[in-house]
Amino acid sequence: MPNLRRITVEECYSGEVTRGAVPLNLPAPSLCSFRYSGRFLDCFFCLANNAALTDLYICFENTIFPDPQLIGHLSFYFPYDLSGLSVLTISSNDVRIVCSMFNMRATSEWTKKMNNLQSLRELQLLMLGIEKDNLVNIGLFLKACNCSNLERLFVQLPATSDVPLEDLVEEAQVLPPEDVLANLRMVKVMNFNWRRFEVMLVSLLLRKATSLHKLLLVSPNVNPQHVPDVQEADLFLLKEALACGRIIVSKSDDPATQPFHSEVFIKV
């Protein structure tokens, strides 16, 4: 497969895959686009080490946190050099896994790959659920990955959540350094429902993204709602941005501002 440039793998489930299974070996050095949607597998794919990916879509569906030993093997399935990656879509499960790998020993290869995202221009976060460590993990992910040229950020929030409002945010936050979001121009948040986690995420972006031109919130409630347990400074920042037009709230999605990976493999 020397000339294969795009691969999409959808809905691959781990129930039929055993620990000793042979991975799907994809020796395609010309591969520039890889998209995977399904459950976390022990051995599921192995991309050519010299492939030069420009866009990557990874969405692990299952919410059960994988065995740390399996997580350690994940770095070997991706090309060594991700410096040409310009578009990345990743789920909240994947962000959690990546953050876990940064905290594990013997992850030098993975750290080198994820610290080399200078070409990344667009990031899409698929929040498959709302957990109290989501904000911490997002901050750690942005801090650990060298994506200082990021220009567009899309956040797809779940339409509903059965987690109590007071449990949506871990108190300890890991904030990205100032220069990480210095070039961020546009943010779009889908399914914004004025929950504590969502308000804190937006206020964090307003503080850190100094070059932000517009922040689009797609919400069933276009007027600010009462949000318990949110600091007054965060609410004031949000209301101020709304008043000056820096934040635009709309009930309908604008087709003119869609992410590169606009396909919905897994609905959130």
Side-chain angles (χ1 to χ4, degrees):
M1 299 182 287
N3 298 318
L4 188 63
R5 297 182 60 81
R6 295 177 178 82
I7 295 177
T8 298
V9 182
E10 185 179 357
E11 300 295 335
C12 285
Y13 294 102
S14 58
E16 300 178 357
V17 179
T18 61
R19 185 177 293 271
V22 177
L24 175 61
N25 202 335
L26 301 171
S30 298
L31 189 68
C32 62
S33 174
F34 183 74
R35 307 176 187 191
Y36 176 87
S37 173
R39 298 182 183 179
F40 185 91
L41 306 180
D42 183 356
C43 297
F44 51 104
F45 58 79
C46 185
L47 304 182
N49 197 43
N50 59 342
L53 291 180
T54 56
D55 79 270
L56 176 64
Y57 181 114
I58 296 291
C59 185
F60 293 134
E61 179 187 1
N62 57 310
T63 56
I64 299 176
F65 197 51
D67 186 330
Q69 186 176 359
L70 301 183
I71 295 173
H73 295 296
L74 186 62
S75 63
F76 298 107
Y77 296 132
F78 292 94
Y80 179 77
D81 186 6
L82 294 177
S83 62
L85 194 66
S86 60
V87 179
L88 172 64
T89 292
I90 187 170
S91 76
S92 53
N93 290 337
D94 311 322
V95 170
R96 188 180 179 191
I97 291 172
V98 170
C99 292
S100 175
M101 293 181 72
F102 280 125
N103 293 326
M104 289 171 58
R105 297 179 180 178
T107 58
S108 59
E109 292 301 319
W110 179 253
T111 303
K112 289 177 183 176
K113 293 175 184 181
M114 297 307 294
N115 282 350
N116 197 22
L117 301 182
Q118 302 98 324
S119 297
L120 194 65
R121 297 294 188 274
E122 179 179 307
L123 173 64
Q124 181 179 203
L125 298 174
L126 305 176
M127 308 304 295
L128 303 184
I130 298 295
E131 305 292 341
K132 66 179 183 180
D133 60 350
N134 281 157
L135 200 60
V136 173
N137 287 338
I138 291 173
L140 181 59
F141 179 83
L142 293 173
K143 183 177 181 179
C145 299
N146 185 10
C147 50
S148 56
N149 291 312
L150 188 66
E151 297 176 353
R152 298 177 301 278
L153 174 63
F154 296 87
V155 182
Q156 181 85 16
L157 295 166
T160 59
S161 174
D162 56 2
V163 181
L165 286 174
E166 62 270 18
D167 294 335
L168 291 183
V169 180
E170 184 71 56
E171 291 301 326
Q173 297 183 38
V174 179
L175 300 179
E178 298 290 342
D179 59 342
V180 168
L181 301 178
N183 291 306
L184 191 62
R185 302 266 193 276
M186 191 272 287
V187 174
K188 182 177 181 179
V189 182
M190 299 291 297
N191 295 327
F192 188 84
N193 279 290
W194 303 95
R195 293 170 287 201
R196 184 185 176 203
F197 163 80
E198 301 167 1
V199 170
M200 293 186 69
L201 174 62
V202 169
S203 65
L204 180 145
L205 293 171
L206 287 171
R207 285 191 175 93
K208 295 295 181 178
T210 55
S211 299
L212 190 63
H213 289 173
K214 59 181 177 180
L215 200 159
L216 309 175
L217 303 179
V218 181
S219 171
N221 300 305
V222 295
N223 297 314
Q225 305 294 302
H226 173 67
V227 185
D229 300 322
V230 173
Q231 294 184 6
E232 285 297 324
D234 290 331
L235 288 175
F236 177 79
L237 191 65
L238 205 66
K239 292 177 181 179
E240 187 180 46
L242 281 166
C244 71
R246 196 178 181 197
I247 290 181
I248 300 173
V249 186
S250 174
K251 287 187 177 182
S252 59
D253 187 13
D254 185 356
T257 55
Q258 295 297 319
F260 181 84
H261 295 140
S262 57
E263 310 92 334
V264 180
F265 294 126
I266 297 178
K267 294 185 180 297
V268 297

